[in-house]
């Protein structure tokens, strides 16, 4: 037997991606309440972002229903992780890979009339 109230069902808003304080306010405006099992004191989690919710956005639920939200992925379910240090390191090259200035000489080119650099020639002993 289904209990029928005089109020129409409401649509569950999309809360994923919102900060805790915004998710709380969005749900409240729709006449819903929030529950977060990983944050017992939801109001202290102001800057955390919702990563999952149940029921899904767009589902129709009775007024004053509870929407369950999570602020952390479960163990092994993703997340940012540590991104530094990057391996392998960027390739060396610096000036050897430098592009020429527009209208200027090629990198490593000599000025006209400049003497040719001398190289040491080693003779066998």
């Amino acid at each position: 037997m289904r209990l029928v109230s005089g109020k129409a069902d409401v649509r569950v808003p999309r809360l994923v991606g919102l900060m805790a304080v915004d998710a709380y306010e969005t749900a409240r405006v729709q006449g819903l309440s929030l529950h977060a099992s990983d944050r017992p004191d939801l109001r202290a989690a102001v800057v955390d972002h919702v990563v999952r919710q149940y029921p899904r956005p767009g589902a129709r639920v009775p007024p004053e229903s509870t929407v369950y939200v999570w602020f952390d992925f479960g163990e092994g379910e993703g997340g940012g992780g540590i991104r530094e240090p990057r391996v392998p390191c960027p390739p060396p090259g610096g000036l050897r890979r430098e592009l020429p200035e527009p209208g200027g000489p090629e990198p490593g080119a000599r000025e006209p009339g400049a003497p040719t650099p001398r190289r040491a020639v080693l003779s066998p002993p």
Side-chain angles (χ1 to χ4, degrees), residues 81-108:
I82 299 173
R83 294 187 169 96
E84 296 295 337
R86 285 177 264 175
V87 177
C89 294
L95 294 176
R96 286 180 277 155
R97 298 184 313 151
E98 180 179 334
L99 297 175
E101 289 290 326
E106 294 292 321

Side-chain angles (χ1 to χ4, degrees), residues 9 11-12 24 26 40 47 49 55 61 73-74 84 87 92 107 111 120-121 125:
D9 287 349
R11 282 192 186 268
V12 175
Y24 178 82
T26 301
V47 296
H49 289 78
V61 295
F73 287 107
E84 296 295 337
V87 177
E111 292 291 323
V121 178

Side-chain angles (χ1 to χ4, degrees), residues 38 51-52 70-80:
D38 58 348
V51 296
R52 190 181 308 151
W70 289 265
F71 294 98
D72 285 326
F73 287 107
E75 187 67 31
E77 291 188 26

Side-chain angles (χ1 to χ4, degrees), residues 4-94:
V4 178
S5 68
K7 298 178 185 177
D9 287 349
V10 295
R11 282 192 186 268
V12 175
R14 178 176 170 80
L15 303 174
V16 174
L18 295 179
M19 291 184 356
V21 68
D22 296 330
Y24 178 82
E25 186 60 26
T26 301
R28 189 187 66 76
V29 167
Q30 295 290 331
L32 302 168
S33 64
L34 284 187
H35 175 75
S37 60
D38 58 348
R39 297 290 187 279
D41 186 11
L42 186 59
R43 293 186 184 226
V46 261
V47 296
D48 292 337
H49 289 78
V50 176
V51 296
R52 190 181 308 151
Q53 77 179 72
Y54 180 83
R56 292 179 176 250
R60 291 208 167 268
V61 295
E64 301 173 11
S65 294
T66 300
V67 177
Y68 297 90
V69 294
W70 289 265
F71 294 98
D72 285 326
F73 287 107
E75 187 67 31
E77 291 188 26
I82 299 173
R83 294 187 169 96
E84 296 295 337
R86 285 177 264 175
V87 177
C89 294

Side-chain angles (χ1 to χ4, degrees), residues 103-121:
E106 294 292 321
R110 294 189 326 260
E111 292 291 323
T116 306
R118 295 185 181 241
R119 295 188 181 159
V121 178

